[in-house]
């Protein structure tokens, strides 16, 4: 069964600190992996998208990594800011099923001043 | 630039009542349109998608239906709401290859009591 699991469920860190969020997936055949940021009460916004051949991609202070062999991805946030408080969702696209997206439940990140 | 309008932002409805949620798109034409539902602590679930006027694909059999009467209008409906219909409903769009670059609206939080 195609699944995306994220850890931790929630995380609290102090402003200015770094953090890493984890994503494990069992989706096959794999097409691409995305990370979205979702502010409370808003729709998700795309941060990064990586295909099988890419093992790292950055978007400002956000850096995503992908290990297609172990089916793991991580999202690293550097020098966190209060505006980084949000849910971060890992999404994997399957090459069959019309490239449908399998969504993780997200990690809720809270940045404290 | 493209914009998705969803209203209302919050809705409280009794069990057994009807539902109509509207999604209107501006700044683009011929989009693929999607309805997603996000339950608390769960990943996004695709409900319906449409590649054109009158063309609706249903992903989850349930008491919800969708219609696309105009190119930039997508409507989600129910004749009788269930408690399990509670959730955060998101309209999204993209162009060309489905699920390629989803752009989300701000969502409607529906509580069925």
């Amino acid at each position: 069964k195609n699944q995306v699991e994220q850890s931790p469920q929630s995380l609290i860190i102090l402003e200015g600190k770094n953090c890493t969020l984890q994503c494990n997936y069992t989706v096959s055949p794999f097409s691409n992996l995305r990370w979205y940021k979702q502010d409370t009460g808003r729709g998700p916004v795309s941060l990064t998208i990586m295909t099988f051949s890419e093992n790292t991609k950055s978007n400002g202070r956000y850096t995503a990594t992908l290990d297609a062999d172990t089916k793991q991805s991580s999202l690293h946030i550097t020098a966190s800011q209060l505006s980084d408080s949000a849910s971060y969702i890992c999404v994997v696209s399957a090459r069959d099923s019309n490239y449908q997206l399998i969504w993780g439940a997200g990690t809720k990140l809270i940045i404290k001043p | 630039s493209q914009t998705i309008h969803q209203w209302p932002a919050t809705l409280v409805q009794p069990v057994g009542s009807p539902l109509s949620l509207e999604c209107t798109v501006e700044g683009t034409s011929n989009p693929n349109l999607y309805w997603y539902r996000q339950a608390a602590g769960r990943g996004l679930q695709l409900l319906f998608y449409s590649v054109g006027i009158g063309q609706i694909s249903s992903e989850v059999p349930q008491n919800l239906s969708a219609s696309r009467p105009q190119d930039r209008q997508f409507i989600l409906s129910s004749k009788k709401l269930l408690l399990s219909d509670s959730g955060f409903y998101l309209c999204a769009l993209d162009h060309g290859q489905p699920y390629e670059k989803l752009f989300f609206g701000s969502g409607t939080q529906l509580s069925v009591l």
Side-chain angles (χ1 to χ4, degrees):
Chain A
K1 182 182 176 183
N2 288 331
Q3 282 187 316
V4 175
E5 308 254 345
Q6 293 188 244
S7 62
Q9 278 190 322
S10 61
L11 182 63
I12 301 174
I13 64 171
L14 292 175
E15 185 181 10
K17 298 295 186 183
N18 304 334
C19 67
T20 300
L21 313 180
Q22 301 291 343
C23 173
N24 296 332
Y25 63 92
T26 58
V27 178
S28 183
F30 174 88
S31 176
N32 59 66
L33 185 145
R34 310 152 188 225
W35 283 93
Y36 281 83
K37 178 185 179 186
Q38 184 177 22
D39 293 320
T40 301
R42 309 289 294 179
V45 174
S46 179
L47 292 175
T48 63
I49 178 170
M50 290 181 290
T51 59
F52 186 88
S53 59
E54 298 173 294
N55 55 22
T56 187
K57 185 159 279 188
S58 292
N59 178 356
R61 294 178 296 103
Y62 300 103
T63 300
T65 64
L66 172 64
D67 185 335
D69 291 331
T70 62
K71 297 188 177 181
Q72 295 179 323
S73 176
S74 65
L75 181 69
H76 186 75
I77 304 174
T78 305
S80 60
Q81 301 176 359
L82 295 178
S83 59
D84 292 330
S85 292
S87 286
Y88 291 84
I89 307 174
C90 177
V91 188
V92 181
S93 173
R95 214 161 5 93
D96 59 3
S97 302
N98 297 318
Y99 293 87
Q100 270 203 43
L101 304 180
I102 294 94
W103 293 75
T107 291
K108 186 174 178 63
L109 177 64
I110 298 172
I111 311 297
K112 295 216 165 186
Chain B
S1 62
Q2 59 194 12
T3 308
I4 296 178
H5 297 283
Q6 283 190 252
W7 65 91
T10 306
L11 187 60
V12 180
Q13 293 282 101
V15 169
S17 64
L19 173 74
S20 181
L21 297 181
E22 188 166 336
C23 168
T24 302
V25 174
E26 288 184 357
T28 188
S29 56
N30 303 317
N32 302 320
L33 294 174
Y34 307 81
W35 277 112
Y36 280 91
R37 178 171 63 201
Q38 187 176 30
R42 305 281 296 272
L44 268 69
Q45 179 187 36
L46 178 65
L47 300 176
F48 301 95
Y49 72 92
S50 170
V51 297
I53 295 173
Q55 300 178 64
I56 309 294
S57 294
S58 173
E59 293 300 314
V60 183
Q62 54 198 344
N63 68 319
L64 298 173
S65 62
S67 63
R68 186 169 177 177
Q70 301 179 46
D71 179 51
R72 286 174 278 188
Q73 186 183 31
F74 203 24
I75 299 171
L76 182 70
S77 304
S78 174
K79 292 182 179 177
K80 286 187 178 182
L81 283 169
L82 306 173
L83 288 173
S84 57
D85 291 323
S86 294
F88 191 47
Y89 287 81
L90 288 156
C91 179
L93 70 83
D94 63 12
H95 294 85
Q97 171 88 18
Y99 315 109
E100 189 68 20
K101 288 183 180 180
L102 287 174
F103 175 78
F104 286 87
S106 55
T108 294
Q109 182 65 52
L110 172 66
S111 298
V112 182
L113 305 176

